[in-house]
Amino acid sequence: MIRHVGGLVFRALSTLLIVLVIAFFITRIAYRNPAAMLAPRNASQQAIDAIAHALRLNEPWYLQLWYYLYRGPDIQGAPMGLAHWPPGLGYSFRKQTAVTDLILSKVSVTLSLALGAVVIWMALSIILGVIAARRQGSWIDSLISGVAYVGLSVPTFLSGILISYFLFFQLSNYGIFWFPSSGYVPLTQNPLEWARHLALPWLTLALAEIGIFQRVVRASMLEVLSEDYIRTARAKGLPEWRIYYDHALKAALNPVITLGGLELAVIMGGAIVTETIFGLDGVGRLAINSALEGDFPVVIGTTIFAAACFVLCTFAVDIIARWRDPSSVS
Amino acid sequence: MSIFSVADLRVAFGSREIVHGVSFAAEPGKTLAIVGESGSGKTASLLGATGLLPPSARVRGSVLHKGRELLGLPARDLRLRRGAEIGFIFQDPLSNLHPLKTVGDQIGEAITAHRRVSRRELRERVLALLADVGIHNPLARMDDYPRQFSGGMRQRAMIAAAIALNPGVIIADEPTTALDVTVQAQILDLLKRIQQEHGTAMIFVSHDLAVVSDVADNVAVMRGGHVVEQAPADLIYQAPRQSYTKELLGSARLGALIPRAWVSRPAPQAGPPLLSIDGVWRSFAGRSRADGSLVKPVLNDISFDIRENQIVGLVGESGSGKSTIGRLVAGLDQPDEGSISLRDRAYSRPGPGGVAIDRQLRSQIQMVFQDPYASLNPRRRIRSILAEPYIIGTGLDAVAIRRRVEELVRDVELPGDVLDRFPAQLSGGQRQRIAIARAIALEPSLIVADEPVSALDITTQARIIALLQALRRRRALSLLFISHDLGVVSELCDRVVVLEKGVVVEAGETARVFAAPRHPYTRRLIDAIPGKALRRSVETPERIAAHG
């Protein structure tokens, strides 16, 4: 097990390093003249050259990469590269802050959004999926599938705006202020307000995911329900609810967990549309803004962050699989 | 007085009726065996009678359990009887146990489904049950998952769940079919003991009359959804009225009786040595259960020969290393030590670059696998499956290949129209014939058949064995026949090699090995062959005289 974890960690770190190098090259290709983008609008050529020189943009690529990886830019005499403690991912040109600090300041918003959404969508998908599988072919099954299909087809920017319109704007017209339209309150400050502020974004994300996951749960349940061990459970005289929610669901969750890990990683890496609609200052918005502004240390940083989310979620899925089926380890 | 009886039971899926009005009854303390080939409706009638078929099935007729009609009973009332008063044991204990639940949990469930018991009491009862069905060290094993159990232990666990609440009726559907002979004998003994202790009525479903003869008091023979013959067991063996029952008895004799091996057969004309296995060792990485070391020895110093035109049977229980030898011979794996050679050409040896098998040599050794469902590509027609070896191995043109393929199908005694079908449209026996046809296509020097009949019905087994014998008469056939079934081996093979835990414990002429086994393990295997009662009742005076 320890060797296994060691191998996983090594693989995770090398994956991240590869992502970092690729992200570095992509930003160099994407931003032909970063110095000009960074300079004030009416800056002289000398000023632009000076910026390029200061950022060592004139050096050959391998020196730039080495410099980025090893030392990072000196900010007020403090190196901010990966080889220093605490390791940094460079310095934002626009925000005048360390990239690591910048991302960390937004992580709580994004994590709250992603983790809350995953709980809601998993719970609802499982309940709806099991009901649909149990009543396969009935009107309930058709209704759930229909609703799920709509949820899946409507893009987030539309469903987010609709949810905001009905659950915030229309309600507030009647003097009901259940949900605020935007903003974020940290969990540590006020858990109730935290949930109240995030309820609509959670709903928006969950709606789209339920469309996928309800169908996965249903299909997986139907497959498992035809297994011999389900018949054995019936032969023991177990009540139907135990057959569905204990026996069948337990086995049917395999694809749901795998896919869930991937989807969660995508949202953790930045739910750009949802964050924008509900005015949440998360990693997604940071990524898109810095990409538009040519702030490439932040672009690389948010890319690494998204990759790390994937690695983490895959790791979690692996651990859960081992915990669910210890006999597979040998 | 019967405790569980079925009268004029009909089971239909849509407009297709698969059980056409069957009647039978089980009495306390007695075993009713229902015998028939797969598809004869034996399982469908029992599942239908107890409400275990999917809702799309329509079940009519009458099912009386303790005087109560079960058909038409509310689902809840039926459920309360299942498990508590009617216990079930199914065929394949691996697919019938939940892979993600511990064995102890799955036995405990049979209790908690019907009774409220404290956690501690439940644990104690599960431990007692595990001990009762003969699981050693139940305290350590109850938290294991089914995959960590051997086949026999899984079946014991399933029996433990079935008897947890001491039901008056036990329905056992092919409970030993997936098991080794020795394990089968143990499981049958266990079932008999449980029945005697509790006076349980048992309904025992099987395709194998030999196995049935070891347990049954009454036998019902099913075919095509009808009960064609029903009588006390002895009567069935001695005076079968239906020709179908006689055919079943004939096939059962193959598994149960070993008369022909006892009467010395004309010695087959074995030619010069073909394959020789010389001091082969093989081990795999993985924890050994015995001493916890990291290398699991599988084969220890294996040596034997196969001559031209000789059929050699390799027998042993699962885990004895039979299939590993098969894989080594076929060049799919290489030994750690020792060598394997075909006509004095060593092609499998240890070390880097181990398998020195080339395409020419590979076409000289062909395999037939156990499961004809899994070994044929489901998306290809039989014609293309059979043409493939010719396309790869010969330079024949399309017309010639077509003619060869048609010959091949005739050779394995199949009608020509199977060529345009897909594997799923053929029966298990037909599929295995195709697998054999594919193997003999290029007229290889040697065929390795790994349990080629174990997945088949007993009547189909008899037909495949007959086919192999006929093929052998028609063309020279050298065969390494791997099987756990000694009856089949005694019928077909010239020589037998007995393998126990990776060691050859006995080898010799089939007749000699079966008549006078030298090693205790061989004796144990022979004793475990089912069908003692059948042997007693069929053994006619002439035959005993013939044994001298």
Side-chain angles (χ1 to χ4, degrees):
Chain A
M1 185 68 189
I2 288 165
R3 245 177 71 180
H4 177 77
V5 170
L8 277 180
V9 169
F10 175 76
R11 219 166 52 197
L13 290 180
S14 40
T15 306
L16 291 180
L17 188 68
I18 292 168
V19 169
L20 193 140
V21 171
I22 293 174
F24 175 85
F25 280 113
I26 288 177
T27 54
R28 293 307 133 114
I29 295 165
Y31 304 117
R32 272 326 201 8
N33 195 354
M37 288 177 85
L38 291 167
R41 196 160 297 214
N42 50 3
S44 65
Q45 189 58 42
Q46 281 97 329
I48 292 175
D49 289 345
I51 291 174
H53 181 74
L55 297 175
R56 308 198 180 187
L57 292 172
N58 300 325
E59 310 260 10
W61 64 266
Y62 49 88
L63 281 181
Q64 285 193 43
L65 180 61
W66 171 247
Y67 176 72
Y68 181 83
L69 288 179
Y70 175 67
R71 192 167 162 77
D74 275 340
I75 301 300
Q76 289 147 16
M80 313 215 42
L82 286 173
H84 297 84
W85 196 259
L89 288 167
Y91 197 78
S92 165
F93 299 150
R94 296 259 167 192
K95 305 262 175 17
Q96 309 298 315
T97 330
V99 173
T100 328
D101 294 344
L102 202 55
I103 292 174
L104 286 179
S105 72
K106 319 265 180 190
V107 163
S108 75
V109 177
T110 301
L111 279 191
S112 301
L113 181 62
L115 294 179
V118 79
V119 169
I120 294 175
W121 99 58
M122 281 293 186
L124 286 177
S125 300
I126 286 170
I127 293 169
L128 293 175
V130 172
I131 292 174
R134 190 163 175 179
R135 307 242 180 260
Q136 187 200 0
S138 72
W139 65 270
I140 296 181
D141 183 20
S142 316
L143 181 74
I144 294 175
S145 296
V147 172
Y149 206 71
V150 171
L152 178 63
S153 327
V154 176
T156 338
F157 61 81
L158 184 58
S159 60
I161 287 167
L162 287 176
I163 284 171
S164 175
Y165 175 76
F166 285 108
L167 293 183
F168 162 71
F169 184 72
Q170 286 293 348
L171 282 185
S172 59
N173 275 354
Y174 291 96
I176 305 168
F177 295 98
W178 285 348
F179 308 109
S181 70
S182 67
Y184 175 74
V185 176
L187 177 66
T188 44
Q189 203 171 45
N190 185 339
L192 190 70
E193 284 298 309
W194 171 79
R196 220 166 70 88
H197 278 82
L198 284 169
L200 296 186
W202 283 340
L203 197 62
T204 307
L205 283 176
L207 205 63
E209 299 294 345
I210 288 169
I212 303 170
F213 279 81
Q214 181 271 342
R215 303 173 136 242
V216 175
V217 173
R218 177 181 179 274
S220 181
M221 279 291 285
L222 287 178
E223 199 183 312
V224 169
L225 282 171
S226 64
E227 294 282 350
D228 285 347
Y229 52 79
I230 298 297
R231 186 185 63 190
T232 308
R234 289 214 167 89
K236 287 181 199 164
L238 286 170
E240 285 293 294
W241 67 266
R242 274 177 76 174
I243 289 170
Y244 277 91
Y245 284 93
D246 185 9
H247 282 243
L249 188 58
K250 194 162 195 168
L253 280 182
N254 276 339
V256 182
I257 291 170
T258 311
L259 190 64
L262 290 177
E263 285 292 316
L264 179 65
V266 171
I267 294 177
M268 274 165 71
I272 296 166
V273 175
T274 312
E275 285 179 10
T276 309
I277 290 174
F278 293 98
L280 294 169
D281 199 11
V283 178
R285 272 176 92 189
L286 176 67
I288 195 87
N289 288 337
S290 48
L292 293 174
E293 291 168 351
D295 195 354
F296 58 77
V298 183
V299 174
I300 298 174
T302 49
T303 309
I304 296 286
F305 176 76
C309 291
F310 263 96
V311 168
L312 219 68
C313 287
T314 326
F315 190 71
V317 165
D318 192 78
I319 296 290
I320 292 173
R322 273 155 189 279
W323 167 72
R324 273 161 50 82
D325 186 4
S327 68
S328 70
V329 187
S330 65
Chain B
M1 187 51 218
S2 71
I3 177 170
F4 185 90
S5 69
V6 162
D8 196 30
L9 185 80
R10 289 167 187 278
V11 178
F13 286 94
S15 60
R16 204 167 60 92
E17 192 174 85
I18 54 170
V19 175
H20 316 285
V22 301
S23 307
F24 49 79
E27 291 163 34
K30 294 275 166 83
T31 297
L32 166 73
I34 301 180
V35 187
E37 290 174 70
S38 49
S40 61
K42 38 192 206 310
T43 301
S45 47
L46 286 170
L47 294 182
T50 48
L52 283 177
L53 285 178
S56 58
R58 271 187 315 122
V59 183
R60 285 174 301 152
S62 162
V63 180
L64 288 177
H65 173 241
K66 289 186 172 172
R68 250 326 261 290
E69 175 63 48
L70 291 191
L71 294 187
L73 215 57
R76 191 187 134 76
D77 293 354
L78 200 54
R79 158 176 100 68
L80 289 176
R81 285 175 185 244
R82 283 197 303 259
E85 296 181 51
I86 306 172
F88 290 84
I89 302 161
F90 294 109
Q91 172 174 352
D92 178 1
L94 184 58
S95 72
N96 275 294
L97 290 172
H98 198 293
L100 302 178
K101 284 171 160 289
T102 64
V103 171
D105 276 353
Q106 298 193 58
I107 296 168
E109 259 172 13
I111 298 169
T112 57
H114 302 279
R115 311 264 190 276
R116 293 186 71 92
V117 290
S118 72
R119 206 172 265 265
R120 225 180 103 196
E121 194 194 334
L122 183 67
R123 205 175 156 77
E124 259 146 41
R125 284 176 73 170
V126 169
L127 279 174
L129 280 166
L130 279 169
D132 192 30
V133 296
I135 302 272
H136 300 297
N137 198 1
L139 195 61
R141 302 312 298 270
M142 72 181 297
D143 293 324
D144 275 358
Y145 289 81
R147 222 178 300 159
Q148 293 162 299
F149 270 37
S150 69
M153 283 164 65
R154 284 182 208 130
Q155 195 56 285
R156 286 172 196 271
M158 194 137 74
I159 292 172
I163 63 169
L165 293 172
N166 196 8
V169 183
I170 287 182
I171 295 177
D173 188 357
E174 305 263 11
T176 61
T177 306
L179 306 174
D180 276 336
V181 250
T182 44
V183 182
Q184 167 169 281
Q186 292 162 7
I187 296 287
L188 292 178
D189 284 344
L190 173 64
L191 286 173
K192 273 188 284 192
R193 198 197 81 214
I194 288 163
Q195 183 178 37
Q196 276 156 15
E197 277 171 16
H198 303 289
T200 317
M202 187 154 73
I203 301 179
F204 188 99
V205 178
S206 179
H207 67 279
D208 189 346
L209 258 178
V211 173
V212 160
S213 77
D214 284 346
V215 290
D217 298 295
N218 292 292
V219 176
V221 180
M222 275 191 80
R223 184 185 203 186
H226 295 280
V227 171
V228 294
E229 184 162 2
Q230 189 166 10
D234 289 337
L235 219 57
I236 289 272
Y237 312 143
Q238 280 159 10
R241 285 196 316 253
Q242 298 288 325
S243 59
Y244 179 65
T245 313
K246 286 176 193 153
E247 194 193 335
L248 277 181
L249 273 171
S251 331
R253 209 159 285 150
L254 174 72
L257 304 174
I258 36 177
R260 268 179 246 186
W262 294 3
V263 185
S264 65
R265 233 186 328 211
Q269 278 149 22
L274 173 71
L275 180 96
S276 76
I277 300 175
D278 195 15
V280 162
W281 295 73
R282 182 78 178 101
S283 57
F284 291 105
R287 187 144 316 147
S288 138
R289 267 208 189 285
D291 54 4
S293 66
L294 277 171
V295 173
K296 199 168 129 197
V298 172
L299 298 178
N300 299 319
D301 198 12
I302 303 289
S303 300
F304 64 88
D305 289 350
I306 300 176
R307 293 170 168 275
E308 303 258 11
N309 198 19
Q310 191 178 46
I311 300 184
V312 173
L314 186 57
V315 297
E317 293 171 280
S318 40
S320 60
K322 314 187 289 289
S323 292
T324 307
I325 293 182
R327 289 174 53 79
L328 288 169
V329 170
L332 299 171
D333 188 15
Q334 65 221 48
D336 299 331
E337 255 176 71
S339 74
I340 302 174
S341 42
L342 188 75
R343 295 202 181 97
D344 292 331
R345 202 179 132 202
Y347 63 87
S348 195
R349 52 175 175 266
V355 182
I357 189 164
D358 53 26
R359 256 169 78 164
Q360 196 270 328
L361 196 61
R362 200 180 282 284
S363 69
Q364 290 298 302
I365 303 172
Q366 291 292 323
M367 278 200 90
V368 177
F369 296 97
Q370 170 173 0
D371 186 355
Y373 297 78
S375 60
L376 298 175
N377 187 335
R379 300 199 184 280
R380 298 181 64 180
R381 289 180 201 277
I382 301 302
R383 190 184 292 284
S384 111
I385 290 172
L386 289 182
E388 194 163 38
Y390 293 113
I391 296 170
I392 298 169
T394 68
L396 293 174
D397 62 54
V399 179
I401 289 180
R402 200 185 168 87
R403 215 178 44 239
R404 288 288 188 87
V405 166
E406 277 158 13
E407 267 171 38
L408 211 50
V409 167
R410 262 200 308 280
D411 235 15
V412 294
E413 295 156 19
L414 283 176
D417 60 353
V418 298
L419 282 174
D420 293 314
R421 295 199 215 147
F422 289 97
Q425 293 167 301
L426 304 183
S427 72
Q430 285 176 322
R431 270 181 266 211
Q432 201 57 295
R433 278 167 197 266
I434 296 298
I436 291 169
R438 190 205 56 75
I440 62 174
L442 294 178
E443 305 194 339
S445 311
L446 177 71
I447 293 177
V448 178
D450 190 354
E451 301 270 11
V453 297
S454 308
L456 305 173
D457 271 340
I458 196 104
T459 39
T460 317
Q461 284 189 16
R463 288 177 208 134
I464 295 287
I465 295 300
L467 169 71
L468 286 173
Q469 283 164 335
L471 281 175
R472 180 191 200 180
R473 280 193 298 273
R474 285 203 285 272
R475 40 170 101 199
L477 190 68
S478 313
L479 190 63
L480 175 62
F481 190 90
I482 300 172
S483 179
H484 69 275
D485 188 337
L486 278 89
V488 172
V489 167
S490 78
E491 181 72 18
L492 183 70
C493 300
D494 310 318
R495 279 179 70 80
V496 186
V497 176
V498 183
L499 204 62
E500 185 193 17
K501 292 178 186 140
V503 178
V504 174
V505 294
E506 181 156 8
E509 298 283 313
T510 308
R512 202 277 298 154
V513 171
F514 279 88
R518 284 179 196 147
H519 195 275
Y521 179 71
T522 315
R523 223 164 294 144
R524 236 183 34 242
L525 281 181
I526 293 175
D527 284 344
I529 299 177
K532 288 193 191 71
L534 191 58
R535 270 200 291 281
R536 269 199 304 279
S537 62
V538 182
E539 204 101 299
T540 55
E542 311 89 82
R543 192 165 270 155
I544 292 166
H547 298 161

